[in-house]
Amino acid sequence: MLPKKKPKGLNIIIVGCGRVGSTLVEQLSAEGHDITIIDKNAAKVAELTDLYDIMGIVGNGASFGVQIEAGIKEANLIIAVTESDELNLLCCTVARRVGDCAAIARVRDPDYSIEIGYLREKLGLAMIINPELEASREMSRILCLPSALEVDAFAHGQAEMVKFKVRRGSMLDGISIAEIGAKTENILVCAVERKGEIFIPSGNFVIQAEDVMSFVAPRKTARAFFRKIGNSTTQVKNTLMVGGGNSAYYLAKQLLHMGIDVKIIEKNHARCERLSELLPKAVVINGDGTDEELLREEGIENVESFVPLTGSDEENILLTLYAQQASKINAKVITKVNRITFNSVIENLDLGSVVYPRYITAEAIIAYVRAKTASRSSNIETLSYMFDHRVEAIEFRVDAEYKHLTNIPLMSLNLKKNLLISFINRHGKIIIPSGQDSIKPGDTVMIVTTHTGFSEIGDILD
């Protein structure tokens, strides 16, 4: 059999060299795409072009002349991720008029968030992504299941990937993956991190205390699993946030809808008034959320969850550490981290659940790029990175043309090593598969693997 021809990379223009733009450059250039960056900041352009084999142009990404210089007529995709929503939308609008390329815009303002579907259709965009909104959805899922470190949704919310740490004294300590499968229904352990090493476990792999496990399960099944192993399954009743930006607004709106009491501390008086109008059921405090005395006055010792959402990673991390020390009831904490510097230091701190909005944005865009790159009509529904990008969870839609994969028992497929088929979604029903199950046309299938760069379901075969 001839080796599979690697799909040709795309010509991609990225406008904006901030945190998200830099992350996209790093990951998309590593996957073999031709990248051109545009930014008004010459120093940022020089820094990225020195680090990666890419082209760089200093200028306004919404300018017709600058886009022509960047090669918009030959481009397959333009991604606009500047700090300005309006500039991002204008970049994409100009590109759609000038070239024959797909366009993705980052849009964060709540005023636009309710119009995303309308804007995408009328402007002809492939995707509009709101990192703060997506991050808030992840945070709300975690606060619904406080035992979890991460909760990612797949299959349009019908399946969940849950990450948690095995406590000392847990019934899981010292038992094998096969025994877990025998004692629990509809749970599949997909990946385990132990002392920095990642395992895609087989049935005889034995779990130890302090392992960090990720498992997949149909929606709400995770709660029953945690109940069985003695972990908390009750969603928090209240939360205290520091910082009243867009992230706080999106998260508060979701939590209030779920019946969770919300208190927000924000320095800016005008912003407090605005939040009070937008969120009449929330308690909004005008004050300095880094003031220890104020935090104690507002109940940090007894609040069930604490989420610092300031614009500073350092403040968020210090506030998390302080909350863990001050809490009398072992509050659930979530730490939002925007930059990815000092990663090794962050990993060694006990920060509870850590959410990276820039990675959430990058994952959605890279899933789109991989699907567009695929040589067949393969569709990546969802892509999620796990364990510091060392593991990928990818949900593929399977079309009828994949006859060498469909209607064959999974045990008979020659799958790559370090790869697990985690679930099959068949008409909204989540199947945790055994070796006798098979994939059928029209299914979506999620795989978890330490391999990187899969762009179609056929990549799972050795």
Side-chain angles (χ1 to χ4, degrees), residues 169-271:
S170 166
M171 65 167 276
L172 297 180
D173 186 7
I175 72 171
S176 69
I177 298 295
E179 289 175 282
I180 293 174
K183 292 179 180 179
T184 56
E185 291 182 11
N186 281 341
I187 292 287
L188 186 70
V189 179
C190 300
V192 178
E193 181 181 34
R194 177 179 298 161
K195 296 177 181 176
E197 191 174 355
I198 299 294
F199 301 89
I200 305 295
S202 61
N204 57 12
F205 184 92
V206 176
I207 299 296
Q208 296 178 6
E210 304 299 316
D211 284 351
V212 177
M213 284 173 53
S214 279
F215 68 87
V216 72
R219 186 168 61 91
K220 297 184 179 177
T221 303
R223 201 174 298 278
F225 174 69
F226 277 140
R227 197 178 297 121
K228 181 168 274 192
I229 65 173
N231 286 26
S232 171
T233 60
T234 308
Q235 79 172 28
V236 300
K237 294 185 178 67
N238 50 60
T239 193
L240 175 61
M241 302 180 202
V242 176
N246 287 340
S247 293
Y249 164 73
Y250 290 127
L251 179 58
K253 188 176 179 183
Q254 291 176 65
L255 297 185
L256 290 166
H257 181 70
M258 290 155 53
I260 296 171
D261 294 333
V262 172
K263 186 180 286 187
I264 303 170
I265 301 176
E266 164 59 36
K267 277 184 187 178
N268 185 289
H269 187 266
R271 180 61 179 169

Side-chain angles (χ1 to χ4, degrees), residues 366-383:
I366 288 165
Y368 174 83
V369 171
R370 287 200 196 165
K372 194 171 174 61
T373 309
S375 56
R376 299 179 184 228
S377 56
S378 174
N379 282 298
I380 297 180
E381 297 280 303
T382 319
L383 180 146

Side-chain angles (χ1 to χ4, degrees), residues 118-156:
Y118 175 84
L119 287 170
R120 189 175 62 235
E121 180 188 348
K122 293 301 179 186
L123 299 179
L125 306 185
M127 183 188 299
I128 292 179
I129 187 149
N130 185 330
E132 280 78 14
L133 178 58
E134 295 304 321
S136 71
R137 286 174 177 157
E138 183 170 331
M139 292 179 200
S140 66
R141 288 194 297 267
I142 292 167
L143 293 176
C144 275
L145 197 62
S147 288
L149 292 171
E150 292 177 14
V151 183
D152 291 313
F154 293 87
H156 303 291

